[in-house]
Amino acid sequence: MKLQKLVYYSQAWSTVWDDRKLFDERIEAWANGPVVPDLYQLHRGQFEIREWPRGDPGALNDEERATVDAVVEYYGWRNAQTLSDMTHREDPWRLAREGLPDGERGNREITPASMSEYYSSLQETEDDGTEG
């Protein structure tokens, strides 16, 4: 679950800082927070991931690597449940889940546009010294 949330935040902040998506895979608003279904299928049922069958971190450019590094530095020390709780309080997940009861399965997309809008507003309030 922690990997899913770190990937989500990497995508979200990439839409703000880099003005583009980090990856093309869809992010969905599942009951436990944002999930990339393609990634979920790769590590389903594993509590710890010890090997990676796909992907190449060397394919990231310097800007993308800086985004991922910043996300891991800021969010990475938190546990999976804390990250899940955080996403549940944030608009992109909440808005994608509108009308679904708590705990109910769902596969609505959390769009890059909704992430960009929400996280840009967080950055703006931080930049001008106000609270959001």
Side-chain angles (χ1 to χ4, degrees):
M1 184 163 67
K2 183 173 183 172
L3 175 63
Q4 289 287 345
K5 304 318 171 247
L6 292 174
V7 168
Y8 165 75
Y9 281 121
S10 292
Q11 180 78 310
W13 285 108
S14 181
T15 67
V16 175
W17 296 331
D18 308 332
D19 202 27
R20 68 178 181 278
K21 298 186 303 182
L22 189 60
F23 54 87
D24 291 327
E25 287 75 14
R26 175 183 168 101
I27 298 177
E28 296 180 355
W30 288 15
N32 288 324
V35 172
V36 179
D38 292 347
L39 179 60
Y40 175 80
Q41 292 304 319
L42 288 174
H43 65 78
R44 183 177 168 180
Q46 297 175 351
F47 182 72
E48 289 187 16
I49 300 170
R50 299 196 182 272
E51 58 184 58
W52 199 251
R54 290 185 15 205
D56 178 10
L60 297 174
N61 66 36
D62 290 343
E63 188 175 62
E64 294 164 337
R65 187 179 312 282
T67 295
V68 172
D69 287 347
V71 166
V72 170
E73 182 178 328
Y74 185 80
Y75 295 97
W77 62 272
R78 294 168 171 88
N79 68 37
Q81 188 59 56
T82 298
L83 292 172
S84 182
D85 293 344
M86 288 171 62
T87 63
H88 285 215
R89 291 188 299 267
E90 298 170 344
D91 283 353
W93 181 85
R94 288 183 32 242
L95 293 173
R97 300 263 320 158
E98 268 185 351
L100 291 174
D102 287 347
E104 183 172 312
R105 290 181 178 218
N107 65 346
R108 294 179 186 159
E109 182 177 11
I110 299 174
T111 66
S114 71
M115 289 185 274
S116 181
E117 181 179 340
Y118 177 76
Y119 293 100
S120 289
S121 73
L122 293 183
Q123 181 172 301
E124 289 168 10
T125 58
E126 185 175 298
D127 290 346
D128 70 13
T130 63
E131 292 189 27

